[in-house]
Amino acid sequence: MSDPQRPRRVFRLPLRRSRIDRYVDEELEAHLAMKEDDLVAEGWDREEARREARRQFGNVAEIRRECSRIDRHREGRMRITEIVDALRLDLAFTVRQFRRSPGVGLLSVLTLALGIGAATVVFSVVHAVVLAPLPFEDPDRLLLLQEVTPQGADFSVSEPNYLDWVERQRAFSGLAGFSFGDRTLSGDGPPEQLSGTRITHGFLDVTGLSTLLGRGFLPREDQPGGPRVVLLAQGFWERRFGSDPTILGSTLRLDGDPHEIVGVISSDEAWPDTEIFTPLAPDPGTARDNHLMNVLGRLRPEVTVAEARADLQRVTAELAEEYPEANAGWSGTVITTDEWRIGDRTTRLGWFLMGAVALLLLMACGSVSNLLLARATTRQKEMGLRAALGAGRHRILGQLVTESALLAFLGGGLGVLLAWWATPLVRGLGPADVARLSQADVNGTVLLVAAAVSAVSVLVFGLVPALHAARGRLSQALREGGPTGTSSGNRIRSGLMVGQFALAIVLLLGAGLLLRSFSQLQSVELGFDADRILRFSLNLPESRFSDEERVAFVYLLQERMEAIPGVEHVGVTMSSPYGDFRASNFVAPADNVPDSQDDFVPVSWRSATGALFQATGVPLLAGRTFDASDRPGADGPPAELPVIIDETLAQRLWPDQPAVGKVGVWEQPGGFPFRVVGVVGSVRDEYVDARPRPRIYLPYAYFPWAQPAVLVRAASEPAALVPAVRAEMNALDPDLPLIGIGPLEDTLRDVVAWPRFSMQVVG
């Protein structure tokens, strides 16, 4: 028989307490009445007997509360027992159901595993790269400070301006400067190139990085000409010195000079890809228009980001008035740590992938919901029989939800296993420049999200079939004696199928657009020939090479490399294609110089040897390239510096006119003049997916960059030249390592890693 009270027990918890209290009150009143009657029988007056009964009975309110507590505790235990028993029975019945129709259960579990596994993988990546707090002390208070050009572009900071910022700003508790630069380690075995960062003495305090050994830099060490000292990153200390705690006080020979080791800092997570730190030593005597450093600042507790930006703009306005020749039209801005370290592109890609995988999960839930709805339609007779035996609708609903929950549990577990296997694969596919991608893992946070996704999936795919099966006419289904379909169920299934197709179309369109974009990116015209080019860089520090010695060394290197069998051309420039350093400046035609730098043309610039254009296959459109006549002579630099410009800049400065022989002005009104000796084709060697900036090439002989890039055009396979190039370099200078030697095509593959990664994941 059915229990008429049982359907009400599911929702009786709010009402049960008042009923228990009523039962307790009735019992207490009965005991008081019995005691009162006994006293009256002994001869007491009715009123006096009532008062005496209450006095003898004790604190009625306290007794009521204790009785109610005991009853509620007993009721709660009974309720838990009922729930556990019902769950045990439901799980046993669910297992029997899956044994009868294993195909539906297996297909549902695999479908959910795909959706939940994909969601878990993507969330593990997005959590590590975008959502996890940055490894700095109170990162929300740490800002990147930059100068802003008259054209509105963010720019790095000059050393004199930084020193003035330190003295004049009022929004930050401290400022610190830094710049990147590799250093050559020599003196113990073959030379080794170390990734380095130059920092000011307040860097550790501003970023919150801590020392494992020793100390940070002192103010006197952060001065031009100060003591040569070095800090080691923890990873480099462990790898090179085996975590030797006695390393303090010993020396490293960097760029030929001994540097004393004063400390080891825990920086590998917050400042990756840096092995050593040396003092930046900003010089107030350097040119204010030489913008080569970056600045970090920690906000004071009471200052907002907007107030800090306004304060920096106040300081830069003062400097623009005091030093108009270098700072006129320039301003300043601040960038949050998230924007600086993560970037808009990474954040957008992360949320895009989360959206795509959410669509995939909805498709999986829709498929499972359709399967369960179809099976529920065939189980109408079973539901009718259970109803006839006394099962209420809530009991049938609970059974069906239990089945969905078990499917979600199994699918979620298998999905986590898939994620555990696939996450390292996704890490390997990701671009190398994505900060913290290597930290993506199926950790506790990711597991909690996977569990939450599994629980939500129960509601998404299990509730509709359960409600549909439980609300049908169960007794009618039993009388009809077979499975029945309803128009309502058919409409729901049709709606789910339409929704699945719609989501699938959205995903296919997204994957198709990404594939098309990647295909177009692969076929974009670069303006140069990257095939058969071997590229590497050198570090020619000022401590070992004067400008004249650097120029002589580079041209000697070029001649020696060209003599290697299999080498066609060798060119030298200040930055390899798609390198991190992208130099910018401003130019104008000499016959129409604007009054302000605001109206100058912003350009990308490179110093280069004349053979660079032959080595890279950049076409010469007019004039000539650099030759021996463009090197400094005994009389010093010419009145007009010879330069080569690309066709984009030629059209900007002298539209519809021959540019060869024209004279321009460099940087600002009154800047040094230059004369165009050649025009070459425009190249996309900074960004593949953006229009090339106007470009001007200056003779390397006049701008001898300390870390030049060498591009070697090979007659066949460039990698085959590596042993000969190393041998020639060792003969020239055994203390100079070849930095990043390899085919230029490898660099080009890295450049398109972002769109390839997006396409692979979504596809």
Side-chain angles (χ1 to χ4, degrees), residues 364-401:
C365 291
S367 297
V368 176
S369 183
N370 238 331
L371 286 172
L372 296 183
L373 188 61
R375 191 173 69 167
T377 303
T378 65
R379 296 174 63 186
Q380 291 293 322
K381 181 179 178 181
E382 172 199 333
M383 300 303 170
L385 181 60
R386 297 186 67 191
L389 293 175
R393 294 186 185 276
H394 81 285
R395 190 70 185 84
I396 296 174
L397 181 63
Q399 171 63 50
L400 296 175
V401 171

Side-chain angles (χ1 to χ4, degrees), residues 311-333:
D311 183 64
L312 182 61
Q313 290 172 349
R314 171 190 61 81
V315 175
T316 54
E318 293 175 358
L319 295 178
E321 292 182 2
E322 296 177 23
Y323 306 98
E325 68 282 357
N327 289 342
W330 287 70
S331 181
T333 189

Side-chain angles (χ1 to χ4, degrees), residues 663-686:
V663 178
V665 175
W666 175 262
E667 189 172 21
Q668 60 189 358
F672 72 79
F674 61 83
R675 181 175 294 276
V676 179
V677 299
V679 178
V680 296
S682 299
V683 296
R684 296 176 185 263
D685 62 354
E686 292 183 322

